[in-house]
Amino acid sequence: MTITLLLIPLLLPCASPFLARRILDHRSPVAALWTLTVSALLLAAGTVAALGTFAVTGLLKIPAFAALGELVHPLRTPSERLVLPVAALAAGLLTLGTFALGRSAVRQAAGLRTARSQAERRSTAGDLCVVDSPHPDAYALPGRPHRIVVTTGMLRALRPDEREALFAHERAHNTGGHRYFLAAAELAAHCHPALRAVREAVRLVAERAADEAAATAVGDRRLTARAIARAALAAHAADSDRPAFTPAATTGPVPRRVAALLSPAARTPRIVPWIAVLLAACAVISCATAATGALSVHQDIEVAQGEASR
């Protein structure tokens, strides 16, 4: 029974890519951003808890660790032929995920420090930092204070009104704290392979949220769509020096974003909220079953330690 409970948090994330795509198609960008990010974190937490419980159960079947855990009776588990291989696999997956996450965090922190130091060495106009480079590029640089980094190549590629739309897009990333959503999605993606698709969905919806904010700021959806399209075309063939994790108007499926800006606001079908509820339900069930399985193993450990079962 415990193994069945612990398998549920490992299987539920597999449904998230389909649900994420449906939410992107029909929910408002800000609502979709929150729903996807929180659900991804909960699904990741359930996965880690389940793998951790499997790993601990296997370790306590080894005499040395059983003695360390002060077990006076054998821990009640299914056949060791099943428990030990599953525990070893769980421990290996946790180790690989931790290593990959740590490497990604170090790389991104180094990229951020480099980008910040380069921006601080250049003159700024408000939050705008202009880099003398023929390669068209622009991105939002998080930190204190926030910066919008744009190259002279990008400035030459756009008309003045299009530049304002582009700047509004990048400001929306900084004011909306999109870096936190992207970081959370990156964390979740290292916990379960299926959550990588949710990470890409979070990246896309963060750009869509910035698109809508820019359109509201400049008061012209067509201008915003044109600015994003021209900026993406200009940056397509250029080599970018920006950190891989920074949000930028030229990233993601630009044609889909432009089409969304040019389309009139559509009424959300009644079924859509239930898709969001279904994704949230998967996330909650994942955490609940992982917690229940972990509690059951904890009670078995107390029994093996000679304490009364609760």
Side-chain angles (χ1 to χ4, degrees), residues 12-41 43 185 188 193-206 208 253 256 271-283:
L12 281 176
C14 297
S16 60
F18 169 76
L19 297 174
R21 287 194 296 270
R22 294 296 303 275
I23 290 175
L24 281 174
D25 290 337
H26 300 288
R27 295 294 285 172
S28 69
V30 174
L33 187 60
W34 278 100
T35 301
L36 288 173
T37 305
V38 173
S39 297
L41 285 175
L43 289 168
L195 295 178
R196 295 172 186 171
V198 180
R199 175 184 60 189
E200 299 307 312
V202 169
R203 289 175 177 173
L204 170 58
V205 79
R208 282 285 301 117
R256 180 177 177 182
I271 193 174
V272 173
W274 291 105
I275 297 173
V277 169
L278 183 58
L279 179 59
C282 287

Side-chain angles (χ1 to χ4, degrees), residues 54-81:
F54 274 130
V56 169
T57 302
L59 285 175
L60 291 178
K61 297 295 291 183
I62 300 174
F65 287 97
L68 188 63
E70 299 180 350
L71 303 188
V72 297
H73 304 294
L75 183 65
R76 294 183 305 174
T77 62
S79 170
E80 292 186 4
R81 293 181 180 180

Side-chain angles (χ1 to χ4, degrees), residues 30 33 127 139-140 146-148 164-179 181 206-217 247:
V30 174
L33 187 60
D127 62 348
Y139 57 91
H146 298 319
R147 290 279 184 257
I148 298 171
E164 291 304 318
L166 180 66
F167 298 158
H169 174 101
E170 304 302 350
R171 287 192 181 97
H173 280 311
N174 283 331
T175 58
H178 293 167
R179 63 192 180 280
F181 295 95
E207 295 301 327
R208 282 285 301 117
D211 291 343
E212 293 297 329
T216 300

Side-chain angles (χ1 to χ4, degrees), residues 92-124:
L93 291 174
L94 285 173
T95 301
L96 289 175
T98 302
F99 175 77
L101 178 60
R103 184 177 59 180
S104 175
V106 170
R107 183 176 64 251
Q108 294 191 18
L112 177 59
R113 285 195 301 268
T114 301
R116 291 293 304 180
S117 63
Q118 291 176 349
E120 290 171 356
R121 290 197 298 266
R122 293 177 171 87
S123 60
T124 59

Side-chain angles (χ1 to χ4, degrees), residues 109-287:
L112 177 59
R113 285 195 301 268
T114 301
R116 291 293 304 180
S117 63
Q118 291 176 349
E120 290 171 356
R121 290 197 298 266
R122 293 177 171 87
S123 60
T124 59
D127 62 348
L128 186 63
C129 175
V130 179
V131 176
D132 186 11
S133 172
H135 303 301
D137 198 11
Y139 57 91
L141 183 61
R144 293 183 181 275
H146 298 319
R147 290 279 184 257
I148 298 171
V149 180
V150 60
T151 64
T152 53
M154 181 63 80
L155 294 178
R156 286 192 292 267
L158 302 179
R159 299 186 326 194
D161 55 350
E162 294 170 345
R163 296 174 192 168
E164 291 304 318
L166 180 66
F167 298 158
H169 174 101
E170 304 302 350
R171 287 192 181 97
H173 280 311
N174 283 331
T175 58
H178 293 167
R179 63 192 180 280
Y180 298 117
F181 295 95
L182 297 178
E186 182 73 17
L187 170 64
H190 285 87
C191 297
H192 196 291
L195 295 178
R196 295 172 186 171
V198 180
R199 175 184 60 189
E200 299 307 312
V202 169
R203 289 175 177 173
L204 170 58
V205 79
E207 295 301 327
R208 282 285 301 117
D211 291 343
E212 293 297 329
T216 300
V218 301
D220 191 334
R221 297 180 68 85
R222 295 187 66 84
L223 169 62
T224 305
R226 187 172 67 248
I228 291 170
R230 293 189 64 180
L233 287 173
H236 178 68
D239 295 328
S240 176
D241 294 329
R242 69 170 177 263
F245 62 92
T246 52
T250 56
T251 59
V254 175
R256 180 177 177 182
R257 293 165 49 202
V258 170
L261 283 169
L262 295 178
S263 301
R267 184 176 179 181
T268 302
R270 290 186 177 182
I271 193 174
V272 173
W274 291 105
I275 297 173
V277 169
L278 183 58
L279 179 59
C282 287
V284 172
I285 292 172
S286 174
C287 288

